[in-house]
Amino acid sequence: MAKAAKPAAADAEPIVLTIDIGGSHVKILTSAGGEMRRAESGPGLTPQQMIASVKTLAEGLSYDVISMGYPGPVAHNRPFADPANLGKGWAGHDFAAAFGKPVKVINDALMQAIGSYEGGRMLFLGLGTGLGAAMIVDNVAQPMELAHLPYKKGGSFEDYVGERGLEKRGKRKWRKSVFDVVDRLRAALQPDYVVIGGGNVDKLDQMPADSRRGDNTRAFEGGFRLWRDKALIV
C-alpha cells in the first residue's frame, strides 16, 4: 500500500503567482519556476478582462497566494485610482474575492524596485510610457508619485522622460533629460544607488552616475519577496 503523503510544514513558503500589469501586456510567473506567460492588454483593459486573462494564462499552474503589480496608486491593498494607460473600473476592486486567493497589490514600479533591491538606500526609476518611481530605505519600501512634479517650461518630469517626451523631442534630448532628472532626484533624495528600469532603459547607451540598469523581469522577484521576505516593510 502506498504511503500517505506528508502534510506540508506549517512554515513552508507559499507558492506565489506574480502578475505584472503593463500597458501592452499582462505577464505572470510563479515562484515554483517555469516560463513566463503573457497576454495582450491595452488602453481599454478592465479589471474583469485582466482577471479572465490571468485565469486562462494560469491554467495548470499551482499557487497559493498572488502578488499584483498595478500601474497606478494603491491604498489599503487596492487600486486607489484608475490607471492612465488602461480602462476604467480598477479603483477599489476586490481582487482577492475575484481570484479566491490572498492577494497583495502594490504599485508596479515598487514591485520591480523590491525585486532589484540590494540593501541600503535605493531609488528606483522606471522609464516607460510614463515615469515610475519608488524608494527603499533599509527594507522600508515606499512608492513615489514623482512623474507629475513640475520640471521645465510648465511640463512635468514625465513629459520629458516618458514615452511622449522621447517621441516628441528625439533620443538625444530625451537622454539628456533622463540624466538631468536622475541628478536632481539623487541630490534631493540621497540614495546610495539608483536602479533605472522600464521598457525604455535600453535606449540609454550610458548610465547616469551611481546608477545601474534594471531588468523588467525583476518585477516577478519583487512579487515573490512580498510574501517571502519577512524583513520587508511595504
Side-chain angles (χ1 to χ4, degrees):
M1 186 172 66
K3 292 182 179 179
K6 293 182 179 180
D11 59 351
E13 289 183 353
I15 299 175
V16 184
L17 175 70
T18 295
I19 305 170
D20 185 14
I21 304 170
S24 57
H25 293 94
V26 175
K27 296 173 284 189
I28 69 168
L29 184 70
T30 78
S31 57
E35 296 292 324
M36 180 194 74
R37 303 179 182 185
R38 70 180 188 175
E40 291 187 0
S41 59
L45 186 73
T46 65
Q48 292 83 5
Q49 290 170 338
M50 184 278 295
I51 291 162
S53 289
V54 168
K55 287 182 177 179
T56 299
L57 289 173
E59 287 179 359
L61 298 178
S62 175
Y63 55 96
D64 305 304
V65 296
I66 296 172
S67 294
M68 194 172 89
Y70 172 74
V74 175
H76 307 299
N77 208 38
R78 296 187 187 184
F80 179 72
D82 287 339
N85 303 310
L86 298 177
K88 303 297 183 183
W90 295 83
H93 198 90
D94 187 347
F95 292 97
F99 283 109
K101 302 274 187 180
V103 179
K104 292 185 178 181
V105 184
I106 63 171
N107 173 263
D108 60 343
L110 182 59
M111 193 163 77
Q112 189 174 153
I114 291 169
S116 305
Y117 183 59
E118 296 179 354
R121 299 172 58 90
M122 183 195 76
L123 172 64
F124 175 86
L125 299 173
L127 302 175
T129 305
L131 173 66
M135 188 96 184
I136 305 180
V137 179
D138 297 331
N139 286 314
V140 179
Q142 178 64 43
M144 305 184 77
E145 293 295 327
L146 302 177
H148 302 294
L149 291 178
Y151 181 42
K152 292 180 177 180
K153 299 180 180 179
S156 67
F157 284 143
E158 184 171 280
D159 291 330
Y160 280 78
V161 303
E163 188 74 34
R164 290 190 306 273
L166 175 61
E167 293 175 353
K168 180 179 179 181
R169 303 175 65 244
K171 192 179 292 185
R172 185 179 65 83
K173 290 183 177 179
W174 175 82
R175 286 172 174 166
K176 185 176 179 181
S177 294
V178 169
F179 272 62
D180 185 51
V181 167
V182 171
D183 284 345
R184 290 172 185 241
L185 293 176
R186 191 173 59 240
L189 300 171
Q190 296 292 300
D192 299 324
Y193 57 102
V194 181
V195 175
I196 304 176
N200 285 332
V201 68
D202 291 340
K203 295 180 174 66
L204 294 176
D205 52 359
Q206 295 180 335
M207 299 298 289
D210 301 317
S211 300
R212 64 177 171 83
R213 199 177 300 272
D215 182 341
N216 285 352
T217 62
R218 300 302 297 176
F220 295 117
E221 176 63 21
F224 305 154
R225 286 182 179 180
L226 281 178
W227 294 93
R228 188 174 65 206
D229 190 342
K230 294 179 174 60
L232 183 68
I233 301 172
V234 180

